């Protein structure tokens, strides 16, 4: 999946429902990609983030593999296929939805970041509040 540009099934992946505090890293290289507080519940079936930790850690490519043109997101260091970014998502605080494959990521809980070599990033991990959206309105709230 990470090297061949595959997509895992929606709602049947490891991190769609993961809302713990920590960071998400490139499973292949270990490069830090996303902070947990930027993950939100988009109900798309894949882990969704409003922004990357460092936009320069990613490469953005035009993807014409479907009838619609998408923007593929790959990691800069490992050339790992991560997923796609979609703009105009009204549920995202930044209006961008980084829709990632769990198979491309590894979650490091905040309490393990020091021992895993990511201690220098602990100060960036803020308080986690899960995003939700109502199926009956356009309201976005925090739990």
């Amino acid at each position: 999946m990470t090297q061949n540009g595959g997509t895992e099934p929606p709602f049947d992946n490891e991190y769609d429902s993961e809302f713990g505090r920590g960071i998400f890293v490139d499973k292949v290289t270990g490069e830090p990609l996303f902070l947990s507080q930027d993950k939100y519940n988009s109900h798309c079936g894949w882990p969704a983030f409003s922004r990357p930790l460092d936009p320069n850690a990613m490469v953005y490519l035009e993807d014409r593999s479907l009838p619609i043109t998408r923007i593929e997101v790959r990691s800069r260091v490992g050339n790992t296929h991560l997923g796609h970014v979609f703009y105009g998502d009204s549920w995202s605080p930044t209006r961008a939805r980084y829709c990632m494959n769990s198979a491309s990521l590894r979650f490091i809980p905040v309490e393990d970041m020091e021992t895993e070599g990511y201690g220098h990033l602990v100060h960036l991990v803020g308080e986690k509040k899960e995003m939700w959206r109502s199926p009956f309105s356009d309201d976005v709230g925090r739990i």
Side-chain angles (χ1 to χ4, degrees):
M1 183 154 327
T2 62
Q3 303 307 305
N4 297 321
T7 300
E8 64 196 354
F11 304 104
D12 187 23
N13 54 75
E14 189 173 3
Y15 298 129
D16 180 40
S17 301
E18 175 60 65
F19 287 99
R21 291 179 63 232
I23 60 170
F24 291 83
V25 302
D26 178 338
K27 190 175 218 169
V28 174
T29 67
E31 183 174 22
L33 299 172
F34 299 99
L35 296 171
S36 58
Q37 65 262 26
D38 294 321
K39 186 174 186 297
Y40 70 102
N41 190 354
S42 70
H43 297 278
C44 68
W46 294 276
F49 301 88
S50 59
R51 67 178 59 100
L53 178 60
D54 176 2
N56 295 315
M58 299 178 180
V59 175
Y60 303 89
L61 304 169
E62 190 174 273
D63 178 352
R64 294 181 172 262
S65 63
L66 294 178
I68 61 164
T69 301
R70 300 177 295 169
I71 301 170
E72 179 187 12
V73 179
R74 296 184 84 77
S75 71
R76 177 194 60 199
V77 174
N79 195 31
T80 306
H81 170 73
L82 300 170
H84 293 86
V85 61
F86 302 93
Y87 296 102
D89 184 342
S90 62
W91 308 115
S92 169
T94 64
R95 303 207 36 93
R97 175 172 39 102
Y98 285 78
C99 192
M100 303 291 103
N101 286 302
S102 288
S104 301
L105 303 173
R106 185 166 78 99
F107 177 66
I108 316 264
V110 70
E111 57 272 8
D112 296 340
M113 287 175 62
E114 189 72 44
T115 59
E116 293 272 351
Y118 300 97
H120 63 287
L121 298 174
V122 169
H123 73 281
L124 297 176
V125 178
E127 185 177 323
K128 182 64 188 132
K129 296 179 180 172
E130 181 181 346
M131 296 292 292
W132 62 273
R133 71 177 187 185
S134 168
F136 304 108
S137 71
D138 288 340
D139 295 337
V140 174
R142 293 189 183 268
I143 296 175

